[in-house]
Amino acid sequence: MTIKVSAISNSEANLKVFADSTVVVGDTEYYPHIGATDMLDNVLITDKPDVLVVDASVGADMNILQQIESALAKFPQIHTILISPDQSVEYLTLAMHIGVRKVLASPVDALSFQEALRFAQSRLAAVALASAATKGGVVIAMVAAKGGSGVTFLATNLAYALARQNKRVAVLDLRFSFGDAAIYLGNTGAKTNVVELAQQYLRLDEAMLEASMAKVSERVHVLVAPATPEQVADVTPVAIEKIIEVARRHYDFVVLDVSSTLDAVAIKAISLANLLYLIVQLDIPNVRAAKSIGQYLRAHGCAPDKMQIVVNNYTRGAHFGLEDVEKSTLARVARTIPSSPAAVSNSVNQGVPLVEITPRDPVARALKEWAENLAPLNGNGHTNGNGNGHTNGNGNGNGNGNGNGNGNGHGAGGPLNLLRKFMGFGQ
């Protein structure tokens, strides 16, 4: 989601730091104001920001906190970041008490400010999802850029991690040709599959849906794909819409494992989702496919801020980085999942979710953090990580792909420039 950031400062240099940081973080609209806190009310009324930055580097006193308190009493939903030289316990406690979310020390540090912005994005996204949940469950669609991207593993294991956040979660396996989502969670006992349910969609209700699900646990249920692709034509966009809407009413989260063929049924499923995660690995075929899928989905009405990139099997120092993926796909890299092939393979082969079988594995920790971000237990979006920001990476990920042909294969004809040639954003 794109957030509005308004900043008030007497320092043009600090306003420039804020501006540069919003560019680095992405998905922001920035409104700078040179001046003091006496303009607070006017800025909030005019800009209607999601995030307010107040720079009290000069003249940090209790009067500034009183002005902020007065403003936030009228606009309590605004996420406020305060820059102040006063880092005393008394000052920080009072700032938090009046509703300030983060107090950063001055002189302002760009990296600290960027981290604070990413946390604000995370919190605001969690609030938006909670709001969506009041109208029914949150629907998450997951699509692979290419086969082998790990989408089913991520969909099923994220669902299980969400259930550990005290949520009821449905996984709908919409990969109609030999989908196997239930197997990843160790359950093959479903009596009804998605095709059979679609054939009866006119009489579908919550009880019928739950009776059709494979029960992984009390909180995780899976609607399985058919064992063979016969009669897949019976799954129509109208039928899949009914299934998803009934699931949304009955579960806190509905995770869709969507086929990357992107037929009319897949497009309908994606259109009903609150969030769309496009699963990518850092190689040229994956990123090129992700670019094409993004263009196709936007052409079919997918809102730009709905689609987010998840880089699976991420390792530092790749030939090209996250920034290149974002430029190519015109979508934000929301999360990276580290590479841990042995642990993932063991989880899949045993049919036991990774957070259960190897909870300390880096991938398990990333999945838990992802679930905590989507369904924070403490209700305010504060998670153990940076939410929708880059996990296990620095957000730039340019690695050594900009080398000068020094014999390591990263020069003018290396992978980074080859990617840029394919993706069409220049050298």
Side-chain angles (χ1 to χ4, degrees):
M1 61 180 291
T2 300
I3 61 173
K4 290 184 177 181
V5 180
S6 293
I8 300 173
S9 176
N10 281 317
S11 167
E12 291 187 0
N14 283 354
L15 289 174
K16 178 65 163 56
V17 171
F18 304 152
D20 292 343
S21 294
T22 61
V23 173
V24 171
V25 171
D27 288 339
T28 57
E29 296 176 7
Y30 178 58
Y31 302 90
H33 300 273
I34 187 79
T37 50
D38 55 7
M39 63 170 61
L40 260 175
D41 282 353
N42 185 56
V43 167
L44 297 181
I45 292 170
T46 303
D47 293 355
K48 297 180 175 59
D50 302 299
V51 177
L52 171 67
V53 182
V54 178
D55 182 8
S57 298
V58 179
D61 56 31
M62 296 304 174
N63 184 51
I64 288 177
L65 292 183
Q66 291 171 0
Q67 291 175 315
I68 293 174
E69 181 180 25
S70 175
L72 292 183
K74 304 168 192 171
F75 305 95
Q77 77 282 4
I78 294 177
H79 186 108
T80 303
I81 301 171
L82 177 62
I83 316 293
S84 173
D86 189 344
Q87 297 291 297
S88 66
V89 173
E90 177 188 10
Y91 190 84
L92 296 178
T93 301
L94 184 55
M96 296 300 178
H97 179 73
I98 66 172
V100 173
R101 293 285 176 174
K102 187 73 174 177
V103 181
L104 300 177
S106 60
V108 63
D109 172 71
L111 291 179
S112 297
F113 183 73
Q114 290 162 22
E115 182 181 353
L117 272 186
R118 289 192 177 104
F119 171 69
Q121 285 180 323
S122 170
R123 176 182 172 274
L124 292 166
V127 169
L129 285 177
S131 176
T134 63
K135 305 169 185 176
V138 175
V139 179
I140 300 171
M142 303 184 76
V143 181
K146 295 285 286 185
S149 296
V151 63
T152 301
F153 171 82
L154 292 179
T156 52
N157 278 261
L158 176 61
Y160 193 86
L162 284 168
R164 289 164 59 101
Q165 299 296 105
N166 296 327
K167 302 298 181 182
R168 296 186 76 248
V169 187
V171 178
L172 307 188
D173 192 346
L174 305 186
R175 301 168 71 83
F176 303 126
S177 296
F178 312 107
D180 50 11
I183 296 174
Y184 282 70
L185 296 173
N187 191 305
T188 57
K191 297 179 181 178
T192 304
N193 61 54
V194 63
V195 172
E196 293 165 337
L197 199 62
Q199 292 168 340
Q200 307 174 69
Y201 80 92
L202 289 175
R203 63 186 190 91
L204 179 64
D205 59 15
E206 287 89 340
M208 182 178 177
L209 175 65
E210 181 157 344
S212 303
M213 307 285 266
K215 308 300 192 297
V216 175
S217 70
E218 181 183 350
R219 293 181 178 273
V220 182
H221 300 169
V222 182
L223 181 60
V224 303
T228 59
E230 286 88 357
Q231 297 182 307
V232 167
D234 291 342
V235 184
T236 64
V238 174
I240 209 65
E241 180 175 10
K242 180 65 176 291
I243 292 171
I244 291 172
E245 290 301 341
V246 172
R248 190 199 297 269
R249 294 198 301 267
H250 196 53
Y251 294 90
D252 299 311
F253 283 86
V254 181
V255 181
L256 312 178
D257 186 2
V258 182
S259 170
S260 55
T261 55
L262 297 183
D263 56 15
V265 171
I267 293 296
K268 172 56 72 174
I270 289 169
S271 74
L272 297 169
N274 300 100
L275 288 170
L276 167 62
Y277 291 119
L278 183 56
I279 312 303
V280 176
Q281 297 198 44
L282 286 184
D283 58 56
I284 288 173
N286 259 270
V287 180
R288 189 177 188 186
K291 177 185 178 182
S292 298
I293 289 172
Q295 290 173 337
Y296 186 80
L297 291 176
R298 283 188 289 270
H300 284 76
C302 180
D305 61 351
K306 177 191 285 192
M307 185 174 72
Q308 301 178 22
I309 304 296
V310 174
V311 177
N312 196 20
N313 291 324
Y314 176 72
T315 56
R316 293 177 181 270
H319 294 315
F320 45 85
L322 307 181
E323 196 172 64
D324 297 314
V325 175
E326 291 180 330
K327 288 179 180 178
S328 171
T329 60
L330 301 181
R332 184 167 172 268
V333 174
R335 189 161 292 275
T336 62
I337 305 297
S339 179
S340 185
V344 169
S345 178
N346 187 44
S347 167
V348 173
N349 289 334
Q350 294 195 43
V352 180
L354 191 63
V355 295
E356 288 289 345
I357 195 171
T358 319
R360 295 185 179 181
D361 181 79
V363 175
R365 291 199 301 268
L367 288 163
K368 287 186 284 188
E369 182 183 287
W370 194 354
E372 288 166 0
N373 172 240
L374 291 169
L377 284 174
N378 61 7
N380 65 2
H382 192 146
T383 70
N384 294 329
N386 59 7
N388 288 332
H390 300 289
T391 316
N392 300 314
N394 61 8
N396 295 318
N398 284 327
N400 54 5
N402 290 325
N404 295 314
N406 56 3
N408 60 7
H410 301 157
L416 176 59
N417 289 319
L418 182 58
L419 172 74
R420 287 175 169 162
K421 178 180 178 181
F422 277 134
M423 297 307 107
F425 56 81
Q427 307 231 0

